[in-house]
Structures are given as structure tokens and as C-alpha cells.
Amino acid sequence: MLRTHTCGQLNISNLGETITLCGWVQKSRDLGGTTFIDVRDRYGLTQLVLNTDTDANLREAGRQLGREFVIRVTGKVVERSNKNTKIATGEIEITVTELEILNAAKIPPFLIEDETDGGEELRAKYRYLDLRRNPIRQNLVLRHKMAQEIRRYLSDLDFIEVETPVLIKSTPEGARDFVVPSRMNPGEFYALPQSPQTFKQLLMVSGFDRYFQIVKCFRDEDLRADRQPEFTQIDCEMSFITQEDILNIFEGLTRHLFSKVKGLELGDFPRMQYADAMRLYGSDKPDTRFGMEFVELNDIVKGKGFSIFDNAELVVGINAKGCASYTRKQLDELTEWLKRPQIGATGLIYCRYNTDGTLKSSVDKFYSEDELTNWAASFEAEQGDLILILAGQTDKVRKQMNELRLEIGSRLGLRDKNKFAPLWVLDFPLLEWDEETERYHAMHHPFTSPKPEDIALLDTDPKNVRANAYDLVINGTEIGGGSIRIHDRELQALMFKHLGFSKEEAQKQFGFLMDAFEYGAPPHGGIAFGFDRLTSIFAGLDSIRDVIAFPKNNSGRDVMIDSPSTIAEAQMNELKIKTTVS
């Protein structure tokens, strides 16, 4: 080894030892006849001392070092007179006797510091430099620890880690596939897996009753802070189990991770029906760190001559505690925020419960103070509270109110990243109607089992068929989801029929799975956690990019290696494909 210790290893117990360190120059400072240099590696930082009185030539060599030079130093561990209690090596420093430059470095395009001056695009272009910064490195160390604990927990419960193929067949699973042309089969394409769904079900047919995999998945969809074109799942499947077994085991996994990685003990997770989540929060992934549940007002506001309420399918509101002091300017700003295209509300109705006990509404013309008192009672409002109301088509207005609730929660400081509110959301609809294609699609995927008592509704009332499906939500983010699967060929064929597949289409796309069901498929079910999302919550981040070593931007580009890119004409000819870009 070129070094005897790392830059985060030495402490007061090493006094008097002669050691050798390797690392990058963080910064240097000249004070009189002494130069202090901070040298850094992934383990920490150590202060070096070079003194003119001891060795003037060595000190002068140290003064020539630039930021990010890679160096090797030998010296003696001595006690610091001015100790730094913020770092592990802060009680000692190294009196340097030998200095070797292993590699010089250009001036980096941004500061390699915890708080950097580099913008997001610049840091993405030089990601290998960004990864030297403590916050990013700590995120990847956190990710490693979580992966280790996941493997330990599942292996102790007899799960087997099995790798599944990356080059597979294109199947409709909700998002667009990434496809790969086959040179040996001209005109045919592999697809990259959106998930290992069919393979893990085949593993159940094969008798591997407990499978898991920390696996790359690929979806060609529009990107945002918590999406990447390639992402990682904790993918799991089990045979001979009920929904309750899966909830208990993976609730246990989540508690295990919080305990071992963050030192936090979580109790049992609350459970909520999908229908209640939509009614009370307007979201199938509600943030339950704070209340502010929806109150539906149809019964008490309609029929008073106010057409916006009278013509609405749903009138719904929230109680913003302590916000009656909001000025008209603040309320107008909030209204404009709601009117943005991303949310699409047409307006906002409010009612102040003033500290003097009076009620003041933006629709006073239509509602008396006695009627406003009924509003306040419905919201259990107190003096100083602000009632915010939206009206319109049910699904749209619930989504809009969800956005408003989250925004008010953020403004009131109720979305504390150090507080964790896990929740199971159960009994999702099996199917959802797609206006563009004018047919039903599987809300999760076509292998999800309907509730046995709802199977008869597939023919008569498909929109009200519930799925044996469940999602784990933490702090308003969907961490994972799964279902009990269909394991019977006849029921699977019925499901494909209701999803609009002909028998021929179903056989072409999924014949291999349906054929496998004829050879003794066990009852089975599973779940997949978004590993990137889960890690970002542990790290207290809004975006998953900084828990991924080499992420892509919102356009799906890796600006560091300039990918995607065109390929040589010879490769195109070899693959027998042509492109037309208009």
C-alpha cells in the first residue's frame, strides 16, 4: 500500500507515530513561516504542517500545491494546539518530513466543498468531481449500508437472490420500453425490463418460494425529481402466502432499515383504504406527517345561489390552522399559484375565522355569518384559522386540493424531513379508464389479482373491482407497491379480455406465462420498493439524483459522457436499421 493510514483514521492515540497518507489537497493556508494543508480522502480529512524553520525547501514545495493535487506525505503525528472538534482527526496534525506529488490537477470548475458554487448542470458534467464532495459521498455510503441490511434481512428469512435477464421481450406494462436491436435477428428487438415481473412469477412456478433482487429497471417516461430512465428496485416475490404475510414481512424490512441505518425505531404502520386516501387527502400517497384532512361541503353550501358551488360535482376544503392573518396579497398569490397549468384550478374561496370571533369570506354576498359558522363547525375551526375551499369535477378538484394541502403544509413547516410517517394504502381499483384509448388499463399491471368477492363485477361493473394490491407510502412518497398475483390461467385470460387483448394478442405477449400456469403455479404475491426513493428519504433529499452515482438530467441525458448519442453508420448497417429524424 502507498499509505499506512487513511485521512480519517488518526487520532490522539497515534501521537508520535510516523505515518504515510495519500489523498487530495482540500486547501492550504500560509501563516507566517508555516503552511497548513488539508489532505482529504473518502474517509476524512487530516491537517498537514510544513514549517520553514524545519525544512524550508519542503515548505516551499508545499506552497506550490494546488487544490485537488494528489499527494503522498510521510510525517509524525503531533498534538494540535488549536483543536477542531468538528472532525474525527481534529486533535492531531502531521508534521511532514516527505512530500510527493502523485498527480497535479487543473483548477476544478467548482469548489469541492460541502457548500459548492457549482450549479446542477455543471456538477453533472463533472460528476466525478461532484462525487468527491462529502454530501454526495455520504449518500452513496448510506445507499451501500442500506443494500447490505436489505440483503441481510431477506437472507435471514430464507429469500434467495436470483438475477433475471436484462434483454427481454417487449410487453405492455404501463410505460414505454427502451428497446435494443438484435444484430443476429434483423428487424427484431429486445426490450429492457420495466421490472422483472414475469420472471419472478416464473420463479414461483419453479418452486423458488422466496425470491429477491436489487435490480436495475428501465422506463422511457417523462422525468422529474423522483424519476430516472434507469432506476433500482428491491424486487421480491413469495409463494403460499396471503397479503397479510407480505405486509408484515416488508413492514419489518422497513423498520429494520430505520433501526440499523438511522437508529430510529418505528412502530406498526397504519393502514388506509385507497378510497379513504382519495376522499381525505386527494392522493393515493398521502403525507400523514400532518392532518389538514379534506372536508366535503356539498350538503351545506349548495342551493344558496352561488353558481360555482351549485354547479360543482364536489366542494371540498381544508383548515389552515393559524393562517387567518394571511393578507389579501398572500391569498391572491396563493390563488395564482393554484391557477398554474401544472395544477389548473380556476379559483380559490376562503373564509377567515378572525381572532375576534367574526367570520369573513370571499363569498359573503351569498352566505350569512350563521352559515359561515356552520362552515367553521364542519372544519372544527378555531379563532385564527383560515378555511380554503375549491370546487369542480371530483377527481380534478381532489388533486388540486392535494397540491394546496401539501403547499400549505410546507409553508407552515409541517413537512419535517426528520419525521417519518409510514402508511399502507390498500385495496386499489383493479382497473382505470383511459380516455385516449377508450378502454380499461390495469392500475398496477395485468397480473394483479382482483379481490375474490369482486370477480363477478368484472363483467357488470369493472370500475368498482378492487385489487389485492397495496402500496407503502412514507412522507407522501410511494416507496413500494405490490399485489397478490393471478396464478390461474382462466382468471388471467379473463383479465386480459377485460384489458382489451384478443386471445391471439394475449398469447403472443404473455403465452409463456399462461403456459407456465398450466404446470402447477402456486398462489403467490410480491412487492417492489423503489430503492432510490427510499434512500433519498433516508438522506433527507427531495431528488433521487444525489443518491445515484451517475444520474441523468430531466432530458434523460448523461451530460458527463454525452449520452445518448448517434452511432456509426457501419453499426447501423450491421443492425439493419435506419433512422428518420424530422
Side-chain angles (χ1 to χ4, degrees):
M1 297 289 290
L2 295 181
R3 61 190 179 189
T4 60
H5 295 77
T6 70
C7 296
Q9 190 174 357
L10 299 168
N11 56 49
I12 202 74
S13 69
N14 300 104
L15 289 180
E17 293 180 19
T18 297
I19 57 86
T20 300
L21 300 178
C22 295
W24 288 262
V25 173
Q26 179 75 20
K27 60 184 176 183
S28 62
R29 306 172 300 284
D30 283 337
L31 296 175
T34 304
T35 295
F36 296 94
I37 297 171
D38 291 339
V39 61
R40 176 199 76 236
D41 61 14
R42 80 172 174 95
Y43 303 96
L45 179 145
T46 300
Q47 180 170 283
L48 312 177
V49 183
L50 300 100
N51 192 284
T52 299
D53 295 337
T54 305
D55 190 328
N57 291 332
L58 190 63
R59 192 239 170 167
E60 186 57 33
R63 294 185 68 196
Q64 305 308 311
L65 299 176
R67 279 181 177 263
E68 303 306 311
F69 273 44
V70 185
I71 62 172
R72 181 173 184 254
V73 296
T74 298
K76 181 178 285 189
V77 181
V78 299
E79 189 170 3
R80 281 176 69 161
S81 57
N82 183 20
K83 293 182 172 61
N84 181 355
T85 58
K86 295 181 180 179
I87 60 174
T89 61
E91 291 185 287
I92 59 93
E93 59 192 10
I94 309 302
T95 301
V96 178
T97 56
E98 297 178 36
L99 168 63
E100 178 185 359
I101 297 174
L102 299 176
N103 216 328
K106 293 169 63 175
I107 297 172
F110 54 86
L111 287 174
I112 313 296
E113 302 275 3
D114 289 5
E115 298 295 329
T116 182
D117 58 353
E120 189 172 334
E121 281 296 304
L122 182 64
R123 289 187 292 113
K125 183 176 180 180
Y126 297 94
R127 183 63 169 178
Y128 48 85
L129 297 180
D130 199 30
L131 287 168
R132 294 181 187 175
R133 296 196 305 118
N134 282 326
I136 309 299
R137 185 178 65 251
Q138 288 165 2
N139 291 340
L140 295 185
V141 171
L142 170 68
R143 185 185 179 108
H144 164 73
K145 289 178 179 177
M146 292 178 69
Q148 294 294 95
E149 290 299 336
I150 289 162
R151 287 190 164 96
R152 183 175 294 115
Y153 176 89
L154 292 173
S155 296
D156 286 347
L157 291 176
D158 293 327
F159 282 80
I160 297 173
E161 186 166 10
V162 182
E163 291 184 356
T164 53
V166 173
L167 297 175
I168 66 167
K169 181 178 184 175
S170 180
T171 57
E173 289 191 42
R176 297 181 190 90
D177 288 326
F178 284 103
V179 294
V180 180
S182 171
R183 177 185 60 81
M184 293 181 287
N185 301 277
E188 296 185 321
F189 295 81
Y190 301 105
L192 302 182
Q194 296 184 32
S195 79
Q197 182 61 48
T198 54
F199 287 99
K200 65 181 180 179
Q201 290 191 253
L202 289 171
L203 284 169
M204 296 303 103
V205 176
S206 303
F208 291 88
D209 64 327
R210 292 192 171 199
Y211 142 93
F212 85 98
Q213 187 179 188
I214 299 178
V215 59
K216 280 284 188 185
C217 301
F218 307 86
R219 291 178 188 170
D220 185 6
E221 56 188 352
D222 295 335
L223 303 183
R224 58 192 187 203
D226 63 348
R227 280 184 182 169
Q228 284 278 293
E230 53 179 314
F231 58 96
T232 305
Q233 282 186 354
I234 310 163
D235 197 55
C236 307
E237 198 79 3
M238 302 172 68
S239 295
F240 307 116
I241 42 78
T242 65
Q243 175 176 294
E244 191 67 23
D245 297 315
I246 291 176
L247 299 188
N248 288 334
I249 285 175
F250 291 96
E251 185 173 314
L253 170 60
T254 309
R255 285 203 302 269
H256 176 83
L257 289 173
F258 271 98
S259 176
K260 296 296 184 182
V261 178
K262 289 193 72 69
L264 296 176
E265 301 300 328
L266 301 182
D268 291 342
F269 295 8
R271 299 180 182 186
M272 183 181 296
Q273 298 291 305
Y274 168 87
D276 291 334
M278 297 306 296
R279 178 176 58 84
L280 295 172
Y281 299 98
S283 171
D284 59 4
K285 46 181 184 294
D287 186 344
T288 54
R289 283 175 291 182
F290 63 105
M292 215 180 293
E293 295 176 351
F294 294 4
V295 175
E296 296 184 0
L297 298 169
N298 285 23
D299 292 344
I300 64 171
V301 301
K302 290 197 171 214
K304 308 295 182 181
F306 183 48
S307 60
I308 291 175
F309 286 173
D310 289 345
N311 297 331
E313 191 175 14
L314 177 66
V315 182
V316 67
I318 56 173
N319 180 7
K321 301 293 293 181
C323 292
S325 59
Y326 267 34
T327 64
R328 181 60 184 268
K329 181 179 179 181
Q330 286 176 296
L331 289 166
D332 288 346
E333 181 270 327
L334 197 60
T335 302
E336 291 307 309
W337 182 87
L338 280 165
K339 287 181 176 179
R340 293 177 307 148
Q342 303 95 305
I343 300 177
T346 55
L348 174 66
I349 308 297
Y350 67 85
C351 177
R352 287 195 186 93
Y353 198 160
N354 297 314
T355 53
D356 63 4
T358 60
L359 290 150
K360 177 67 177 174
S361 166
S362 53
V363 288
D364 282 346
K365 177 180 176 182
F366 301 94
Y367 298 92
S368 67
E369 183 141 348
D370 284 345
E371 288 170 323
L372 296 180
T373 300
N374 290 335
W375 290 18
S378 297
F379 287 92
E380 298 182 357
E382 301 172 322
Q383 293 180 15
D385 291 350
L386 176 67
I387 296 168
L388 301 171
I389 300 172
L390 296 174
Q393 192 270 331
T394 297
D395 290 343
K396 288 182 179 178
V397 88
R398 280 178 172 165
K399 289 178 181 177
Q400 292 159 0
M401 185 56 78
N402 169 57
E403 296 291 341
L404 178 58
R405 174 182 177 269
L406 294 177
E407 178 66 15
I408 296 295
S410 296
R411 295 186 184 196
L412 294 177
L414 301 175
R415 304 181 72 189
D416 182 358
K417 290 180 181 178
N418 295 311
K419 180 181 178 182
F420 300 95
L423 173 74
W424 286 110
V425 179
L426 309 176
D427 294 349
F428 283 76
L430 182 71
L431 307 169
E432 58 184 346
W433 182 256
D434 186 286
E435 293 290 347
E436 286 187 22
T437 59
E438 294 187 338
R439 66 182 179 91
Y440 282 105
H441 289 264
M443 180 169 271
H444 283 79
H445 55 63
F447 317 107
T448 297
S449 173
K451 291 277 186 182
E453 61 269 29
D454 289 355
I455 291 175
L457 297 176
L458 278 169
D459 289 319
T460 60
D461 192 11
K463 71 177 184 299
N464 284 321
V465 177
R466 294 167 301 158
N468 257 327
Y470 33 83
D471 279 0
L472 177 62
V473 176
I474 300 178
N475 295 358
T477 297
E478 178 196 332
I479 295 303
S483 66
I484 301 299
R485 320 302 188 190
I486 298 170
H487 67 279
D488 173 82
R489 182 181 178 118
E490 288 185 12
L491 181 56
Q492 187 65 71
L494 181 64
M495 182 68 171
F496 286 142
K497 173 187 171 185
H498 284 282
L499 292 173
F501 288 88
S502 68
K503 287 183 179 180
E504 293 73 23
E505 287 171 332
Q507 184 63 32
K508 181 180 179 182
Q509 296 283 0
F510 300 108
F512 63 93
L513 183 64
M514 296 175 74
D515 290 346
F517 285 173
E518 295 186 322
Y519 289 93
H524 60 280
I527 194 167
F529 282 16
F531 187 35
D532 311 300
R533 289 185 186 178
L534 185 59
T535 308
S536 68
I537 284 181
F538 272 57
L541 301 171
D542 294 323
S543 169
I544 65 173
R545 286 183 194 152
D546 280 343
V547 300
I548 298 172
F550 299 102
K552 294 175 175 56
N553 66 14
N554 277 345
S555 300
R557 297 198 66 83
D558 184 329
V559 296
M560 181 183 69
I561 64 172
D562 192 23
S563 172
S565 61
T566 57
I567 62 174
E569 187 68 26
Q571 278 183 285
M572 297 284 282
N573 292 337
E574 195 173 37
L575 294 168
K576 306 292 193 296
I577 58 175
K578 292 182 178 181
T579 58
T580 303
V581 180
S582 56

